[in-house]
């Protein structure tokens, strides 16, 4: 059995309709949306290599918030540093060039994918905490 087959089985057992899609460099992408409110979802993705017994992976949660006023960029970067030291745990909060805030984590897994699944679940909770902090401390933050 491969890591992808084991992940597919775990996602099926957990009622998560995620399917992998091939991307470049013999890697596969799982994509989904995490619901954080009645009208709000966050896209997330898992990138992992195919057919390995041990593989690096990346989990990312996108579109947490957007910085609309670049006069707040210095404040945002200070807050990112603070949150990365205190609240994001295995994840790293980043600010993209277009103003998008996202979190990501890198890890390594084997055929025992339970830790990868747990990091995905933890990431959704971290995303909620980060969103609340961003919206509270930076007035120009906008949801998209």
């Amino acid at each position: 059995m491969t890591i992808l087959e084991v992940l597919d089985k775990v996602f099926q057992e957990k009622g998560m309709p995620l399917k992998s899609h091939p991307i470049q460099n013999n890697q596969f992408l799982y994509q989904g949306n995490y619901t954080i409110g009645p009208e709000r979802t966050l896209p997330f993705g898992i990138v992992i290599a195919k057919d390995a017994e041990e593989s690096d992976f990346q989990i990312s949660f996108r579109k947490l918030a957007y910085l609309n006023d670049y006069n707040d960029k210095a404040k945002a970067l200070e807050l990112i540093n603070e949150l990365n030291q205190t609240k994001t745990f295995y994840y790293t909060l980043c600010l993209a060039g277009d103003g998008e805030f996202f979190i990501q984590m890198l890890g390594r897994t084997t055929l025992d994918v339970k830790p990868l699944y747990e990091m995905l679940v933890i990431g959704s909770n971290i995303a909620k905490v980060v969103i609340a902090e961003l919206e509270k401390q930076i007035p120009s933050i906008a949801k998209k």
Side-chain angles (χ1 to χ4, degrees):
M1 209 170 218
T2 67
I3 291 173
L4 292 177
E5 292 168 336
V6 174
L7 268 177
D8 288 342
K9 183 178 177 189
V10 167
F11 291 145
Q12 181 181 7
E13 290 171 357
K14 300 293 184 182
M16 297 176 70
L18 301 179
K19 294 292 180 194
S20 61
H21 306 281
I23 57 174
Q24 62 190 9
N25 298 328
N26 204 29
Q27 295 178 326
F28 278 73
L29 171 65
Y30 289 88
Q31 290 180 294
N33 288 299
Y34 174 67
T35 302
I36 61 169
E39 296 181 17
R40 180 110 190 256
T41 60
L42 296 178
F44 68 86
I46 303 167
V47 175
I48 191 162
K50 180 184 187 235
D51 292 336
E53 292 181 12
E54 183 176 62
S55 180
D56 294 328
F57 67 89
Q58 175 179 301
I59 301 173
S60 60
F61 285 83
R62 309 293 304 194
K63 300 183 181 180
L64 302 181
Y66 283 84
L67 183 65
N68 286 330
D69 183 352
Y70 278 83
N71 291 322
D72 289 335
K73 186 174 181 180
K75 183 176 183 177
L77 294 174
E78 287 179 25
L79 180 57
I80 287 170
N81 285 338
E82 177 187 328
L83 293 174
N84 280 336
Q85 293 173 13
T86 61
K87 304 214 177 187
T88 61
F89 301 102
Y90 299 103
Y91 282 82
T92 302
L93 175 61
C94 303
L95 176 61
D98 67 353
E100 176 193 3
F101 289 90
F102 64 95
I103 58 171
Q104 67 179 12
M105 71 149 305
L106 303 173
R108 185 173 259 304
T109 192
T110 63
L111 292 174
D112 177 11
V113 297
K114 184 179 177 186
L116 185 158
Y117 176 76
E118 289 173 351
M119 289 296 104
L120 179 64
V121 172
I122 289 168
S124 63
N125 292 320
I126 291 170
K128 285 195 285 191
V129 168
V130 166
I131 289 168
E133 288 293 322
L134 289 169
E135 290 176 352
K136 182 173 107 180
Q137 295 193 37
I138 303 174
S140 66
I141 291 297
K143 301 172 197 171
K144 275 195 181 178

